[in-house]
């Protein structure tokens, strides 16, 4: 019996660029893959009539939805899925995409004895990459990613540049416990309004990416990266402020950013719809210094704080065959 073990990363996305359909940067933007937090799954085919899933209620529900979607494209035997480590939904870490792609990849290896070279084919199986491609390419390759968007109206055929993140860099992740960002039908309703940024804003964001952020990552210029990332995040956040309640989606994060700035920290940016914010650090020691400045709670909001390394590779996928399948007695 074949067992597929898969470990993903998580992704930060620093805000979609909303252009009109068939225009440059349509749903483009920048993001980075992190080693932690992550999904860690074990997937094994079974002869039972139904799947068995060892996980919490919310995770089981999402896995069943993904399996139903994947099975609409191809035949898949019943599975036993053990979730050894999970990744919180709707906090800004791309949890749904990483889970869907992990399941698609496990089933591809299990049924075809190989993995599709094109990660968008995995995304199609799980009905992901509806707008951004950062989580999809990040799942396959890791690194810092620049998504140039679906300029030809094709979400599955787009340019995404990848740059390795300096190994010493870290990201401090902070979010209010038990709080979630915009998702699901509310998110679809927002984009269904066909909102788009003014062209002058799109041009400004594109220039920031080309002339400041990307060179800073490539040339290991941390201070420039932190300053330009904060500026990018603030610019994008101002566009979404009417929908999410401010540049940052949660008032505790707004207060925290002000507190950190007053203490000389730079680089704070929200990931996706938040509420999580990421703070770049030049090293592990620098990250720990930042953590020391972050309170346990702000007002009534208890804060979750962690430090993560960049992930410069794709998800780890291992296939093992037990002794019975090998014919070993």
């Amino acid at each position: 019996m074949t067992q597929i073990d898969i470990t993903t990363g998580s992704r930060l996305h620093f805000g979609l660029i909303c252009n009109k359909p068939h225009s440059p940067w349509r749903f483009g933007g920048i993001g980075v893959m992190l080693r932690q937090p992550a999904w860690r799954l074990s997937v094994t085919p079974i002869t039972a009539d139904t799947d068995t899933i060892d996980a919490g209620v919310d995770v089981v529900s999402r896995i069943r939805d993904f399996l139903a979607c994947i099975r609409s494209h191809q035949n898949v035997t019943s599975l036993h899925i053990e979730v050894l480590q999970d990744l919180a939904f709707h906090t800004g870490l791309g949890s749904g995409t990483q889970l869907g792609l992990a399941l698609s990849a496990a089933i591809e290896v299990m049924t075809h004895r190989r993995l599709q070279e094109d990660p968008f084919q995995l995304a199609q199986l799980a009905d992901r990459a509806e707008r951004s491609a950062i989580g999809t390419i990040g799942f396959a390759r890791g690194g810092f990613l620049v998504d140039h968007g679906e300029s030809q109206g094709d979400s599955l055929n787009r340019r995404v540049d990848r740059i390795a993140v300096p190994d010493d860099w870290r990201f401090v992740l902070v979010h209010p416990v038990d709080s979630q960002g915009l998702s699901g039908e509310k998110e679809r309703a927002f984009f269904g309004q066909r909102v788009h940024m003014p062209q002058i804003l799109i041009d400004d964001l594109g220039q920031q990416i080309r002339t400041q952020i990307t060179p800073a990552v490539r040339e290991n210029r941390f201070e420039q990266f932190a300053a330009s990332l904060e500026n990018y995040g603030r610019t994008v956040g101002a566009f979404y402020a009417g929908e999410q309640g401010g540049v940052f989606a949660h008032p505790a994060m707004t207060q925290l950013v002000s507190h950190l700035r007053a203490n000389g920290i730079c680089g704070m940016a929200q990931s996706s719809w938040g509420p999580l914010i990421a703070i770049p650090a030049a090293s592990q020691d620098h990250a720990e210094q930042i953590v020391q400045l972050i309170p346990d709670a702000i007002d009534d909001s208890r804060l979750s704080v962690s430090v993560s390394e960049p992930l410069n590779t794709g998800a780890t996928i291992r296939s093992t065959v037990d002794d019975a399948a090998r014919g070993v007695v």
Side-chain angles (χ1 to χ4, degrees):
M1 183 176 296
T2 301
Q3 175 179 304
I4 308 299
D5 296 316
I6 183 163
T7 302
T8 73
S10 51
R11 75 99 182 93
L12 300 177
H13 190 305
F14 300 112
L16 281 173
I17 300 176
C18 285
N19 205 350
K20 293 174 285 189
H22 311 295
S23 301
W25 290 110
R26 169 74 169 173
F27 295 143
I30 56 173
V32 64
M33 294 301 293
L34 304 178
R35 190 171 299 279
Q36 290 288 344
W39 288 104
R40 193 156 63 92
L41 311 175
S42 177
V43 182
T44 308
I46 56 176
T47 57
D49 294 332
T50 60
D51 301 313
T52 60
I53 305 170
D54 293 340
V57 174
D58 290 346
V59 174
V60 168
S61 177
R62 291 298 297 273
I63 289 176
R64 291 195 186 281
D65 288 345
F66 279 128
L67 291 178
C69 184
I70 294 168
R71 285 180 171 125
S72 72
H73 296 282
Q74 62 183 48
N75 292 325
V76 180
T77 185
S78 294
L79 302 171
H80 173 69
I81 299 174
E82 185 176 4
V83 178
L84 303 170
Q85 184 178 347
D86 62 19
L87 177 54
F89 295 115
H90 311 313
T91 60
L93 291 169
S95 176
T97 293
Q98 297 307 301
L99 177 59
L101 292 173
L103 293 167
S104 294
I107 289 169
E108 278 288 296
V109 172
M110 188 178 298
T111 57
H112 299 296
R113 301 294 187 267
R114 60 179 174 80
L115 187 62
Q116 296 282 3
E117 292 183 6
D118 182 358
F120 286 113
Q121 294 183 21
L122 297 178
Q124 282 185 303
L125 286 177
D127 195 23
R128 304 306 292 180
E130 184 178 0
R131 283 175 287 271
S132 171
I134 286 176
T136 298
I137 300 299
F139 175 86
R141 301 186 63 199
F144 183 86
L145 301 152
V146 179
D147 180 0
H148 292 263
E150 48 178 68
S151 60
Q152 303 303 315
D154 182 0
S155 63
L156 300 179
N157 182 20
R158 59 207 290 172
R159 174 185 165 192
V160 181
D161 298 331
R162 176 202 173 275
I163 309 168
V165 182
D167 290 336
D168 289 343
W169 289 10
R170 298 290 184 268
F171 288 85
V172 179
L173 309 179
V174 189
H175 67 89
V177 175
D178 300 327
S179 180
Q180 295 185 340
L182 193 71
S183 64
E185 291 304 320
K186 291 183 179 180
E187 182 182 25
R188 291 189 188 93
F190 173 80
F191 288 112
Q193 300 169 28
R194 297 187 180 276
V195 295
H196 61 268
M197 295 173 169
Q199 190 61 47
I200 191 171
L201 175 57
I202 295 169
D203 292 343
D204 176 48
L205 292 171
Q207 184 176 31
Q208 289 184 44
I209 292 170
R210 288 191 303 272
T211 66
Q212 300 172 38
I213 299 174
T214 300
V217 179
R218 184 175 286 117
E219 297 166 18
N220 196 358
R221 288 187 268 145
F222 174 78
E223 291 183 359
Q224 178 182 321
F225 173 74
S228 56
L229 177 65
E230 181 170 334
N231 185 55
Y232 180 94
R234 185 170 57 247
T235 305
V236 173
F239 174 78
Y240 291 107
E243 186 67 24
Q244 66 184 14
V247 171
F248 300 95
H250 197 286
M253 297 297 93
T254 301
Q255 293 184 55
L256 176 62
V257 168
S258 296
H259 167 70
L260 292 173
R261 282 181 186 148
N263 282 274
I265 303 303
C266 179
M268 291 75 71
Q270 180 172 290
S271 179
S272 188
W273 290 105
L276 180 143
I277 67 167
I279 310 153
S283 64
Q284 182 67 30
D285 286 345
H286 186 203
E288 291 171 2
Q289 293 169 20
I290 295 171
V291 169
Q292 292 301 313
L293 295 171
I294 300 172
D296 293 333
I298 294 178
D299 293 336
D300 295 328
S301 298
R302 189 162 55 90
L303 304 184
S304 171
V305 183
S306 61
V307 176
S308 184
E309 303 172 20
L311 178 64
N312 281 316
T313 62
T316 301
I317 304 168
R318 292 187 174 89
S319 174
T320 59
V321 181
D322 65 18
D323 288 347
R326 294 190 186 99
V328 176
V329 179

